[in-house]
């Protein structure tokens, strides 16, 4: 029987901090941004200069910035098997899960707009900002989840807009939130490294395709596509085929035999 205590406390927290973020996320993004990186800053870099509620990963390429939050969490069996939208969304809104990540994303977008996030002195408030939540379970590659999560994110941005401190800030440079599965980044990592794909271009194309603002009951189908499915279509249109070298090397290194 599953012991819920294993998913709380120091052990699971250490796994999230020391492996999920500090190894898996950092290493993957270093490869993904091989050819599209002016400056990259990790969460540990921000922590070293005492930034609280820091982004988990920051990358700027010329006038484009991606702000990443890494979220590794589980839904309970009761939530997953409820088959009830409200129950599942309530579960994702619990502290430490998806809704908290949207607040963190909006907070760091605000810091960028105010130029109060350190370590990138050449950042320009006119840069385009791509807020991203990187998820570590393909369960969340589900239709419409990005739409509803972006709704939470937009609510947080609206709160910033009413704050006098942000008077004069150009929020039009902030793109809608994108949920990205780490498996998608790992799958195409070698293609990114070879320059066959560009994550900034892919994020821009995804948001143009789903166009959350224009979604209605009549054309809702365009806004429900998860990023993982879009990435496959995007690569196919460019005639880019998955390069399995990384996965093959990992398999061979493991020593596992069929």
């Amino acid at each position: 029987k599953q012991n819920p205590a294993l998913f709380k406390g120091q052990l699971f927290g250490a796994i999230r901090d020391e492996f999920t973020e500090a190894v898996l996320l950092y290493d993957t993004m270093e490869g993904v941004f091989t050819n599209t990186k002016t400056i990259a800053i990790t969460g540990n870099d921000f922590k070293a200069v005492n930034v609280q509620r820091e982004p988990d990963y920051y990358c700027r390429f010329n006038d484009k910035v991606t702000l990443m939050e890494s979220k590794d969490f589980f839904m309970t069996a009761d939530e997953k098997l409820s088959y009830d939208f409200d129950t599942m969304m309530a579960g994702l809104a619990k502290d430490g899960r998806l809704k908290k990540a949207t607040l963190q994303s909006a907070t760091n977008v605000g810091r960028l707009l105010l130029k109060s996030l350190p370590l990138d002195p050449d950042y320009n408030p006119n840069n385009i900002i791509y807020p991203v939540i990187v998820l570590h379970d393909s369960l969340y590659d589900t239709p419409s989840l990005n739409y509803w999560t972006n709704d939470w994110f937009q609510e947080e941005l609206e709160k910033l807009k009413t704050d006098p401190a942000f008077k004069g800030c150009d929020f039009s440079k902030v793109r809608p939130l994108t949920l990205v599965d780490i498996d998608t980044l790992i799958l195409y990592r070698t293609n990114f490294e070879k320059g066959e794909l560009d994550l900034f271009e892919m994020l821009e194309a995804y948001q143009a395709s789903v166009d959350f603002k224009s979604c209605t009951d009549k054309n809702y189908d365009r806004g429900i596509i998860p990023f993982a499915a879009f990435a496959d279509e995007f690569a196919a249109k460019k005639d880019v085929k998955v390069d399995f070298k990384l996965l093959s090397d990992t398999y061979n290194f493991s020593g596992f035999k069929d």
Side-chain angles (χ1 to χ4, degrees):
K1 183 179 179 180
Q2 177 178 298
N3 182 357
L6 293 176
F7 302 104
K8 300 178 182 179
Q10 295 183 350
L11 175 61
F12 192 59
I15 292 173
R16 283 196 303 259
D17 292 342
E18 302 301 327
F19 176 73
T20 302
E21 180 182 334
V23 176
L24 193 57
L25 178 69
Y26 295 174
D27 185 66
T28 299
M29 299 322 303
E30 182 179 354
V32 168
F33 289 125
T34 297
N35 302 292
T36 52
K37 175 176 63 180
T38 302
I39 183 172
I41 307 168
T42 69
N44 283 342
D45 293 331
F46 285 117
K47 289 175 184 175
V49 293
N50 299 314
V51 177
Q52 303 295 317
R53 299 183 300 281
E54 73 288 341
D56 291 324
Y57 200 88
Y58 170 102
C59 182
R60 179 173 59 79
F61 179 54
N62 298 331
D63 64 345
K64 302 173 183 177
V65 173
T66 182
L67 276 173
M68 293 187 163
E69 294 295 329
S70 176
K71 279 297 171 185
D72 186 7
F73 62 90
F74 296 96
M75 290 184 72
T76 66
D78 288 344
E79 291 165 350
K80 287 188 286 188
L81 297 176
S82 69
Y83 300 104
D84 179 78
F85 177 82
D86 291 334
T87 298
M88 288 186 279
M89 291 304 291
L92 292 171
K94 289 180 180 176
D95 188 44
R97 295 186 183 179
L98 211 45
K99 191 168 187 179
K100 180 181 179 181
T102 64
L103 171 59
Q104 292 171 320
S105 293
T107 297
N108 286 312
V109 164
R111 286 169 162 173
L112 269 184
L113 292 175
L114 295 175
K115 290 200 71 172
S116 63
L117 193 66
L119 300 181
D120 183 6
D122 295 324
Y123 168 77
N124 187 314
N126 291 319
N127 289 165
I128 298 171
I129 303 172
Y130 297 90
V132 172
I133 297 177
V134 179
L135 298 167
H136 296 263
D137 190 333
S138 57
L139 169 71
Y140 305 112
D141 285 333
T142 188
S144 82
L145 182 58
N146 202 147
Y147 175 89
W148 294 108
T149 307
N150 178 64
D151 240 22
W152 285 334
F153 175 71
Q154 296 302 325
E155 288 173 5
E156 297 299 334
L157 284 189
E158 288 302 317
K159 293 176 186 177
L160 296 184
K161 292 176 184 178
T162 63
D163 187 331
F166 293 92
K167 185 178 180 180
C169 290
D170 187 1
F171 283 86
S172 71
K173 301 295 184 181
V174 183
R175 295 295 186 257
L177 182 75
T178 305
L179 300 183
V180 177
D181 175 16
I182 191 73
D183 290 347
T184 300
L185 299 176
I186 293 172
L187 182 65
Y188 287 105
R189 173 176 170 163
T190 304
N191 301 103
F192 285 116
E193 291 175 335
K194 292 163 66 176
E196 296 173 344
L197 294 173
D198 175 341
L199 184 59
F200 285 105
E201 180 188 5
M202 194 179 286
L203 291 170
E204 181 70 25
Y206 174 71
Q207 290 299 338
S209 176
V210 293
D211 193 14
F212 294 138
K213 284 185 178 180
S214 70
C215 285
T216 66
D217 289 343
K218 293 183 179 180
N219 69 342
Y220 68 91
D221 55 317
R222 71 180 297 171
I224 68 173
I225 302 170
F227 183 80
F230 175 83
D232 291 339
E233 295 176 3
F234 184 87
K237 288 179 181 177
K238 287 181 169 288
D239 199 27
V240 172
K241 294 178 174 57
V242 174
D243 188 323
F244 289 101
K245 182 180 184 303
L246 174 63
L247 299 179
S248 177
D249 289 347
T250 303
Y251 175 81
N252 292 332
F253 178 77
S254 72
F256 179 81
K257 301 296 181 183
D258 291 337

